[in-house]
Amino acid sequence: MRLKLLVLGLALVTAVPAAVTAAQAADGIYIPLMSYRTGPYSGAGIAIFNGMHDYLNLLNARDGGIGGVRLIVEECETGYDTKKGVECYDATKGKNPVVSTPYSTGITLQLIPKASVDKIPVLSMAYGLSASADGNDFPWVFNPPATYWDGASAFVRHVADVEGGFDKLKGKTIGLVHLDAPYGKEPIPLLEALAKDYGFTLKLYPIPGAQMQNQTSLWLDIRRDRPDWIFMQGWGAMNPTALKEAIKVNFPMDHFIGNWWAGGEDDVRPAGPEAKGYSALGFSGVGRDYPAIQDILKYVVDKGNTQTPKEKVGEVLYNRGVMNAVLIAEAIRGAQHLTGKKQVTGEDVRRGLETLNITEARWKELGLPAFAAPIHLSCADHNGHNGIYLARWDGTKWTKASGWIEPIKDKVLPLIDSAANSYVSANAGWPKRSEACDKSS
Amino acid sequence: MHILYLIFVDPFVQMVHAPDLLMQTLWDGLVGGVLYALIALGFVLIFKASGVFNFAQGIMVVFAALTLVGLHEHGVPAFVALGLTILVMLVLAFGVERLMLRPLVNQSEIILFMATFGLTYFLIGFGQLVFGGNPKVMIADDLYLPSGAIEWKGHFGFVSLQKIDIAAVVIASIMVAVLAVFFQRTRIGRALRAVADSHQAALSVGISLEQIWVIVWFAAGVVALTTGIMWGARSEVSFSLQIIALKALPVLILGGFTSIPGAIVGGLIIGIGEKLGEFYWGPLLGGGIENWLAYVIALGFLIFRPQGLFGEKIIERI
C-alpha cells in the first residue's frame, strides 16, 4: 500500500508541473531556454540566461507579453552537455515551443536535422554551424548577427590594419588557441583558407575540456613557436587560465584577441591588471546606459523577479543574453504581424526570423540605441554577416576600441556556400527547401 | 625516414639547442607533478583507511576553495576565513562519517564507492545553492601568497619561475611531509595503518573505526583546501576545477592506491612526463596530447608492476 502511494505521489509530482506548463502554453507563447547554470561553464551560462530571462520577464511585466500574449519562459538545464541538451529538446518539444536556443555548438549540430521535422526554428545567435547561415539549405536555422567565420575574418582584417595591409600578412604566424570541441574548431576552415590566400602560417593550439585549467604545456609551445598574433576561441574557465598563462610567457597582450565568447568580465578579472590591453570581439553593447536595461532594473530586478545580482546587470554576457531575447521577441512580433495571429507557432516564428529587420531606428525604439549593428535577414541569408567591434580591457572594464569591423565577406560567403553544399551532400535525403519566401524578405 | 627523425632525433636536438625551454618544461612539469601528487594524496588517505575510492575528492577541492572565497566575499578576513573553512571541512568529515559511512558499515566497496557519487552531487548542489555558480577569484594576495616571477636571463635563454608556483611546491612538500610523519610516527597514524590492514583486527584491539574515518576525511578535506587554493590561484575558482581531480587517476594507477610515497613519485613522473611529451612530441600528433599521455605513461608502468610502483601486492586465495 505504502509503495503504491509512493509511486502515485511520484507520478503526481512529475506529471502535474508538466501538465500545468502544457496548459499554460495554450494560453501563452512558450519559450524554452536550454540553460546551463551548473557545470564547468556555468559562470558564463548564468550571466547569459539571466539576461535572456530578465528581458522576457520585462516584456511580461511592462507590456503584458508580446501583442497581448504572455510569454511562458521555462529553463531546462543542459550543463553544456550535448546529450542533456537533446534530452531538454525532446522534453520540451511537446509544449509547442516557438523557437529553440541550444546555446552550445554541440547541441546545435544535433538539433539542425530535427528542426525542419519538428517545425521548431533553431536560433543560434552567433554560434553553431557557420554554414547554416545559408537559408536555402537551412531554412529552419538562424545564426545572426555574425558567424564564427565572420568573427575570425574580422580578426584577420584587424591584424592586417595594424600590420599595414593584407600584403603584410605574408610570412606572419597566427595562432588559434581553441577549445578542443565543435565550438572551438569552427573557425579553422576559414582561417586555413585565409592563410592560403594571404600567405600567413596558421598554428593550432587545441585545449581539451579536461585541460582548461592546466594549459602550461600549450603556452610553452607558444613561447617556442612565437606566433605574431593569437586568436582565442575559448569558453568558460579556459579564458582566464589562458590569459594568466599568456602573461607568464610574456606574450604581448595587444596581439592577443579573443572571440566574442572570450570577452566577458569574468574572463579577465582573475588575470588582474596585467591583462590590460587584451582585446575581444563584440557585437552587443555593454553597460546600463540604455532605457531597456533601466526598465529591466525597474520592472524586474528591483521587484525581485529575477535571479540576477543587481551589480551583474549590464555586464558583457548579461547584455548578450538580452540581445538574444530581443531577437526572439522581434521574431515573434514579426510572426504576429505576418500571420495576423496573436498565438503564433514555431512555423510562424520561422517566418518572423526570416523577415527580421532591426534597423538603427528600431534598436532605438526598443530602448537599446546603438546597442548592436542593424540586423536584416532574408530567405537566402540567415545571418546578416554584420560588423563586429573590438573591445579592450583597460584593467578594470571593457572599453570600445574600434568602430564596426566588416568581415571579409568575399572570402566568407563562398566558403559558406561550399560548406552548406558539402553538408547537404554528406547528409543523404536532406530536404530541399519547400518553405515559401515572405514578401518582405 | 623523416618521421623517425622527428620522433627519435629532433626532440633531443631541440633540448640541446634551447636548454632554457627544456629547463622551463622540467620546472613546469615539477610544479604540475607536485600539485597532482597533492590531489592524489587526498584519494590515498581515504582509500588507505576505508578501501573507498572517493569520487567526491574533486568536488571537495571546489567546495573548500569556494567556502574560503565565499566567506571572504562576505567580509570575513582572509585568515579567519581560512580557519573557518578548515572547520567546515571538519564538519563535513563528521557529516560524512555519521550520515554516509556509518550506515554503510559492512557493505561492499562498490556500495561505498557509489555513495561517494551521491556525496559529489550533494556537494555540487549545496555549493551552488550557497555560493552560486559564478566563477570567483582566489584571494591569493590576502593570504600573502606571492605574485610575479623570478626570471633568469643569460646566454642559454630565459627561464621564468612564477613565485606562486614556488610557493605551491614548498607548501605541497611541507604538507606531504607532515602527513607522512603524522601517519607513520603517531599513534593515530599507526591506528590508521591497522585499519587499512584489517577493519576487524583493528576493531578487536579497540581502535575506533569512526574516529579514524573522521580523521582521514578531515585530512583529505585539508588537502582539498590546499589544492583548491593553489589551482584556484593559477586559474579561477569555479566548478570546472573538479575536472582537475581526474588528473590524479593516472598518478594513482602509477603510484598505487595505498602509498603516500607512491602518490608523490607518481605525481612527479606524470607531471614531468606529460609536459615533456606534450612539448617535444605533441606537435607531431597535432597537440593536446597530455590529457591521454598521462594514462599511457601509467599503463606503461603497469605492464611491469600491475599493483603500481609502491602498491601492495595482493595475493588472494581462490
Side-chain angles (χ1 to χ4, degrees), chain B residues 259-270:
Chain B
S259 167
I260 291 176
I264 300 161
V265 176
L268 293 178
I269 292 173
I270 294 290

Side-chain angles (χ1 to χ4, degrees), chain B residues 8-291:
Chain B
F8 296 109
V9 181
D10 185 53
F12 300 101
V13 172
Q14 283 188 53
M15 288 178 199
V16 173
H17 280 190
D20 58 333
L21 287 175
L22 175 62
M23 281 190 272
Q24 190 73 59
T25 309
L26 290 172
W27 166 250
D28 287 340
L30 176 77
V31 175
V34 170
L35 290 170
Y36 294 161
L38 202 55
I39 304 172
L41 201 60
F43 285 98
V44 168
L45 289 175
I46 290 175
F47 192 84
K48 266 175 89 78
S50 53
V52 180
F53 180 81
N54 178 23
F55 187 78
Q57 189 65 31
I59 191 65
M60 280 169 65
V61 171
V62 178
F63 187 74
L66 275 178
T67 306
L68 173 65
V69 180
L71 285 169
H72 186 65
E73 275 181 358
H74 283 87
V76 181
F79 282 97
V80 179
L82 186 67
L84 287 174
T85 306
I86 292 171
L87 199 64
V88 168
M89 298 319 282
L90 181 63
V91 172
L92 180 70
F94 267 109
V96 166
E97 191 278 316
R98 277 291 159 95
L99 303 171
M100 194 181 95
L101 297 177
R102 199 179 284 191
L104 294 178
V105 166
N106 282 335
Q107 297 291 329
S108 66
E109 284 160 8
I110 189 71
I111 300 286
L112 289 166
F113 175 56
M114 293 311 290
T116 66
F117 270 76
L119 179 64
T120 302
Y121 289 111
F122 168 74
L123 287 178
I124 289 173
F126 186 66
Q128 289 195 332
L129 189 72
V130 177
F131 304 109
N134 284 312
K136 299 182 194 305
V137 180
M138 178 45 71
I139 50 170
D141 292 341
D142 299 281
L143 292 171
Y144 295 104
L145 289 171
S147 58
I150 297 169
E151 291 188 352
W152 288 333
K153 286 180 185 163
H155 64 278
F156 57 88
F158 96 96
V159 178
S160 164
L161 309 184
Q162 296 296 311
K163 290 178 185 169
I164 184 77
D165 289 345
I166 297 171
V169 171
V170 171
I171 292 170
S173 305
I174 292 171
M175 176 151 260
V176 167
V178 168
L179 285 169
V181 170
F182 180 74
F183 287 112
Q184 295 294 328
R185 308 272 176 189
T186 64
R187 195 179 64 83
I188 294 171
R190 282 196 294 277
L192 168 77
R193 277 156 42 217
V195 169
D197 282 343
S198 165
H199 285 189
Q200 283 176 330
L203 280 169
S204 69
V205 294
I207 293 171
S208 162
L209 214 53
E210 288 85 0
Q211 197 186 33
I212 293 296
W213 279 343
V214 169
I215 290 167
V216 290
W217 276 82
F218 174 56
V222 174
V223 169
L225 173 61
T226 313
T227 313
I229 293 171
M230 292 309 165
W231 279 107
R234 287 159 66 94
S235 173
E236 63 174 18
V237 181
S238 69
F239 282 85
S240 54
L241 211 54
Q242 62 182 305
I243 304 171
I244 288 289
L246 296 176
K247 294 300 291 191
L249 286 176
V251 174
L252 292 168
I253 293 169
L254 200 152
F257 279 73
T258 53
S259 167
I260 291 176
I264 300 161
V265 176
L268 293 178
I269 292 173
I270 294 290
I272 294 171
E274 70 173 17
K275 294 285 182 287
L276 286 173
E278 174 73 52
F279 188 65
Y280 290 105
W281 287 271
L284 296 175
L285 296 164
I289 68 166
E290 72 180 304
N291 203 26

Side-chain angles (χ1 to χ4, degrees), chain A residues 38 214 217 223-224 241 244, chain B residues 14 36 128 158 233 235 279:
Chain A
T38 64
N214 191 17
S217 312
R223 184 177 147 189
R224 172 179 53 193
T241 313
K244 284 193 166 191
Chain B
Q14 283 188 53
Y36 294 161
Q128 289 195 332
F158 96 96
S235 173
F279 188 65

